[in-house]
Amino acid sequence: MTITPKAPRKLTMKQRYSALTRDLEWDPSYVSDEEMFPLTSFEGITIHDWSKWEDPFRLTVDAYTKYQAEKDKRLYAVLDGFAQSQGHLSLTDASYLNAMKLFLQGVSPLEYQAHRNFAMLARHLNGPGPRFASLCQSLDEIRHAQTEIHTLSNYNKYYAGFHSYLHMHDRVWYLSVPKSFFDDALSAGPFEFLIAIGFSFEYLLTNLLFVPFMSGASFNGDLPTMTFGFSAQSDESRHMTLGLEAIKFLLEQDEKNVPLVQHWINKWFWRGYRVTALVAQMLDYMLPRKVMSWKEAFELYFEQQMLGGLFQDLAYYGITPPLHVDKAMQEKEYLSHQAYWILYQFSHAAAFTTSVPSDEHMDWLTEQYPDTFPIYRTLWEKEKKNIAAGGRHFIRGLPQLCQVCQIPMGFTEADEPFIQAQRESIFEGERYNFCSDGCQYIFDHEPVKYRQAWLPVHQIYQGNCGAADLPGVLDWYHMKPGDGGEYLGSLDNQNWKKWHDMADETGGN
Amino acid sequence: MQFELRTQVIEPQRKTFQHLIDRYGDRPASRYEEGTIDLQARVNYHYRPLWDPSKEIYSPDYSALKLTDAYSFVDPRQFYYAPYVTARADLHEAFGATLAYLDKRGMFQRLPAAWSSLFQDVVLPLRHYEAANQMIASGAARYGWGTSITQCFAYAAFDRIGNAQILSRAGISFGGGTAESLDLAKRTWLEDEAFQPLRKHVEEMLVEKDWGVAMVASDVTDRLIYGLFYTALDDAALNAGAASYSLVAQHLSQWFTDQRRWFDALYKAWVSDPELGEANKALLGSIVSTTLATALAALQPVAAKADGLVDAGAAASLATAAEQIVAAFAALGVTVETPAS
Ligand SMILES: [Fe+2]
Ligand SMILES: [Fe+2]
């Protein structure tokens, strides 16, 4: 027997949130559903009930703006203080900034792209719950783009390689790796984007992508970047819960969605993993003070957390770990060595500098990679002799690029570290090259898409990059003296020494 | 290790990023500029969208309204993320304080009956109007051309959900802490005859694919709605002793003043474009003429409903708002047909 309460029932927190967000929705009657949501049918995903979306977080506009405004106030106070006190001089070394050059050129523009396309989801998803979550993420992402730019802006005033990061992102060969990755996601439909970015990028690979940069910052005296990293953390945890809710929602809505989602996981794991090659070499080679090796990072953030955790849960839906994940696990032993060796040889055409690892650095690498680094050590010892004889190694020709990930074809077979991997597919009479099975798999599913790729090397050959010779192309890239090449003796290296000598003379430190 | 360099000045190598030096000369750039200008990629897209292979990922062709140089427009508020959320945190905090006061003093219960009905049956349904405008602005934030413009759209989209939440929170208080008033208002939005022409107009704006057309249509409709409900009726409410109506309305009219700042600057940029200005004027003339006629006709039954409840001259205020729109566009050199009333 229940007694009906006389007074009207006050809203629970959940009901209140619903009244403030999803209850704003109505079914249109003057236009069709298809006109209202034209983008959510072509991908083949079936959604029976959008209201089954569980809000991954309950944040209202007043709470969001208050919390974010407070975070930004603290962050900008740190940035201002650091700039005023010439904090850049307390970095471990100017060469540390190579990691941040890569970050600003390669990653910050992706934050911006995420901002734009989450706005697309905030318009085009049929359910008000996921639309609002996407709207918040769209705002977070412009925050990330801008706070990263503002964080690194101070370094740009004193160091090379930062000055033309936007121009370079759209043109330079190694930056077409991250650019094509995100263009790939933006040119996909809304559901694939949710899996590509919301799930794979923001959940599956986020710790491998961001934590190394942020830990690298904290180990190398980069207080602004470290503060930015902490400040983005609560945003990121919201993004992770959104990604997880997105995949569960798609899987629970209809069994027919499972194979589509599985394919997207296969594709976007490998696509994202290839981008992390840049992170791997940064972690093992660019940081003056080491945090952890790529191998350790991969084992912790991917093998333990994702394969050991997440995919155990997803098995319930019939989802298996991504195809080619075994190759990535084999590659962890030498991915960074091969990636850095490629960049080392082409850094005269890059906006960061490279150098032969010091003996101490090589001892650390030997400790971290006892089975594989000794092979690469012989390569570096040989290079040291070249340098002593006045001949640092730069490749003057242009490399062949993988049609999908766009990394120069320098990776070896996963189980044969001496044999360069090369795959090819013929499509409509044309031959395309790939660095790996993973990239070939991606191409073979969507050849019409990937043959469109703006491959920087092809573009140079076709005369679309300002000139036919290297200096002309570098000019077109807006590279300036001091941006690339060898670190030792570079502009940054010279200035760093000069400024520290000045500091010593004035009785500092 | 800390270095003391107070006596030594390290000369910076450059004052800001190269694209800003190219545009504005060798001077320090503001955080707004560094966080806005040229952020969106303009060249070398890798793939055509699966959802429209005839277009590029970003393209000026998603709207007929164009600028020769997208960055000839900058937000007069200089809003990048941090100042934006700070300003909105203040707005929502102020509204929260108002609402706490209204609750504490039982102000909604003290509304004169007619104004109470007006709030329930005419104003609360507009939370759905706000939500629709979020979607319109989000679409424009994705498909627009140039970050200085799309950034304004992105923040406007979030603003509209914020406004919908302001109305919803007021509605919850008005309903004694329940969702009853909101439910009732939703039924009005969906079923009340007086609201159907407006809802039809809103749904048609939502499916407009040209973001420029959609945003201008939304702005014209906003000017009528905000002019009527949050400005004209605000005054009338005070005269009629409906203080709580006015106290809620002030936050929305204050928001609209802010919205006008950047939107008016955008109109200026469109009409004064050295190459496309004349074409933009003609386009705006036709978009605004069409929308104004539709929106005015759609709002007349709503104004009539208001006039049936309170003696505040809603129909006349609506007509005045329409005249002001025609005059404002005339000042920009845009000819708008005066709609039949
Ligand atoms: Fe982000
Ligand atoms: Fe590849």
Side-chain angles (χ1 to χ4, degrees), chain A residues 351-368:
Chain A
F352 55 79
T353 57
T354 55
S355 207
V356 175
S358 68
D359 290 341
E360 193 194 350
H361 185 165
M362 286 205 261
D363 291 343
W364 179 79
L365 286 165
T366 309
E367 260 170 52
Q368 301 298 315

Side-chain angles (χ1 to χ4, degrees), chain A residues 30 89 116 146 157 480, chain B residues 5 13 18 58 144 151 203:
Chain A
Y30 300 100
L89 293 173
R116 291 291 289 267
Q146 292 176 333
K157 296 188 171 106
K480 293 179 184 170
Chain B
L5 277 165
Q13 314 279 300
Q18 191 59 46
Y58 301 113
Q151 180 168 229
E203 290 181 9

Side-chain angles (χ1 to χ4, degrees), chain A residues 111 141 144 202 210 236 239:
Chain A
E111 306 271 19
E141 299 298 2
H144 296 173
E202 296 278 352
F210 288 97
E236 292 305 337
H239 302 172

